[in-house]
Amino acid sequence: LQSRRVIAFAALILPAVITLLAQAPGERPAGGLTVVSREGRRSLPTRSVGGQEMTSLADLAAMFELAVHEDALADGLTVSTGGRSIILTPGQPLASVGGRLVSLPAAPLREGRTWLVPVEFINRALALISPTRLELRRDSRLVIAGDLRVPRVAVRHDAAGAEVRLTIDVSPRTAYTMAQERGRLLVRFDADLLDPRVPAFEPGLLVEALSAEAPATLAVRLGPGFSGYRVSEAAAQGNAARLVLDVLSATINVPAPERPVAERPPPEAAATPPSLDPQPPTSVRTIVIDPGHGGEDHGAKSASGATEKQVVLSVARRLRATIESRLGIRTLLTRDADVAVGLDERTAVANNNKADVFLSLHAGASVLPTVAGATVFSISLAAYGAAAQQLAAAGVPELPVFGGGSRPIEIIQWDLAQARHAERSALLAALVEEQLRSRVPMSQRPIIEAPLRVLVGANMAAVLIELGSLTNAVEAQRLAGDAYQTALVQALHEAVVRFRDRLDASRDSGGGQGRPIAGAKPVEAR
Ligand SMILES: [Zn+2]
């Protein structure tokens, strides 16, 4: 659990108005890089010396407020900013950054009164001492300075028969909205700027042109044959997202029958089938598993060195393999590597992929080393209704666990997505608990209802499972072991099967899905 995180009801800080020019990064003065920041864009001249792209320290100094000192006696160059320094030695393709040596593709070269350094100096050395974030994207000819969100957006254009499919890879995953306006489809990303890769293609009857527009919009100019579109999300690697935008022709009826789609090569990952049926064949088509923690956030740690982030990733991967192979249900992980992922981002993966089930896995609940056993958390409307919202409005950053305990809990007041699914989440929690109980020891309070931040924004049935406690020595040893993980995976798999069967049965008997619960704020199914 995120027990160490203290919640911040940080005020929403409105981003400063960005005055970036409506110019794609590709349109730059030849032989230069474009530096983008909240202040705007500037060009950083570069030139090729012996096949190596170099830029001048004088230009860098002016742009990033660096002090450059040349020490003739020591035959060294010192580049400083914010009280930190880099030492360069003429003739050596190296930089010393706070005593650590980093390699450069070429040595600094004197040119008149200044020095030329390879452009890689920016990310390999300067970024390490700069008080503001610096990122060189050499292939995009960009240097990003500061906290700008500049997702890479790569578009593939496939024309097949009377349809055009645009496959849009967005990295990192970025929220977006779609709009259709005056003969154009606009994909507006929640970002400051796009770093686009837009292919060249012959203008067609459906799609005439693609362009990136300021601040962060991908525009599709539609041709006379256009009649409609559908957008879906396909599985993507790591922290990326893949949108599949099918532009449909007036000559085909919408909904379209299964047609040339099958004849063209699909994107590497299977696209989500367009949901044209009013009644999908089953209630559970996509599951998102969320291995907690990751990156520098290790979560709980056992005395023997096992970390929560490793244990939950291992269980998550095995669970994915089991569910996919036995049930054929599309199963995604919020992280498939040892990387940090924000709490809201985890929920966003589930929401953006229209998951039907969200399982967040942890293994380190207890602050008391003697407490052990598995615990299942779900949200309850009653629990986070009036009381939680009053506290949130009063700015009280911590809440006791409902039903006992005093762990700090993150709650959010502005997003009640989970409220619509509270009943189904409670059912899922009960089924998970039942299956775990028959295989592994449970904690004294095996089901707890609490408004956990990672669950609150989830727009589907969602539970958080503490698989056990790594702080308990006996349990830590079990948790790291194969047999115990297998038991956990079997329990979770079986719970998913039962949950699916229950939903399918209630749907077939006329039970409604997504029925709003009285009192809950309606949530747009974006
Ligand atoms: Zn945890």
Side-chain angles (χ1 to χ4, degrees), residues 7-8 343-344 347 409-412 414 451-457:
I7 316 148
L343 285 183
D344 293 337
T347 324
I409 296 285
E410 292 185 272
I411 67 166
I412 49 175
W414 59 86
L452 300 177
R453 166 100 177 243
V454 75
L455 300 181
V456 169

Side-chain angles (χ1 to χ4, degrees), residues 417-465:
Q418 179 59 200
R420 302 168 67 218
H421 306 278
E423 283 177 15
R424 267 180 280 164
S425 294
L427 169 65
L428 180 61
L431 293 170
V432 168
E433 196 266 344
E434 184 183 280
Q435 292 304 316
L436 285 171
R437 176 180 294 286
S438 68
R439 293 174 177 87
V440 300
M442 300 302 288
S443 70
Q444 283 176 325
R445 294 185 60 85
I447 295 192
I448 295 178
E449 292 180 337
L452 300 177
R453 166 100 177 243
V454 75
L455 300 181
V456 169
N459 199 16
M460 73 283 311
V463 295
L464 183 148
I465 303 143

Side-chain angles (χ1 to χ4, degrees), residues 304-452:
S304 61
T307 56
E308 184 178 355
K309 65 174 184 175
Q310 293 167 337
V311 168
V312 295
L313 181 58
S314 164
V315 172
R317 284 173 171 160
R318 294 177 61 173
L319 181 58
R320 173 180 59 188
T322 303
I323 290 176
E324 280 185 340
S325 65
R326 292 198 209 158
L327 305 179
I329 296 175
R330 175 175 174 245
T331 307
L332 308 171
L333 303 189
T334 55
R335 66 176 178 93
D336 196 5
D338 183 14
V339 292
V341 181
L343 285 183
D344 293 337
E345 243 178 287
R346 294 169 188 267
T347 324
V349 170
N351 290 343
N352 293 341
N353 284 288
K354 301 199 167 43
D356 305 296
V357 170
F358 180 70
L359 302 173
S360 184
L361 305 184
H362 286 258
S366 184
V367 287
L368 303 172
T370 53
V371 173
T375 309
V376 185
F377 293 80
S378 75
I379 219 143
S380 102
L381 257 194
Y384 90 105
Q389 288 185 54
Q390 273 169 20
L391 287 171
V396 176
E398 294 185 6
L399 275 184
V401 173
F402 284 93
S406 60
R407 201 174 308 141
I409 296 285
E410 292 185 272
I411 67 166
I412 49 175
Q413 56 189 338
W414 59 86
D415 188 348
L416 296 178
Q418 179 59 200
R420 302 168 67 218
H421 306 278
E423 283 177 15
R424 267 180 280 164
S425 294
L427 169 65
L428 180 61
L431 293 170
V432 168
E433 196 266 344
E434 184 183 280
Q435 292 304 316
L436 285 171
R437 176 180 294 286
S438 68
R439 293 174 177 87
V440 300
M442 300 302 288
S443 70
Q444 283 176 325
R445 294 185 60 85
I447 295 192
I448 295 178
E449 292 180 337
L452 300 177

Side-chain angles (χ1 to χ4, degrees), residues 471-483:
T471 49
N472 176 287
V474 177
E475 200 154 277
Q477 200 167 12
R478 283 198 219 125
L479 276 167
D482 188 57

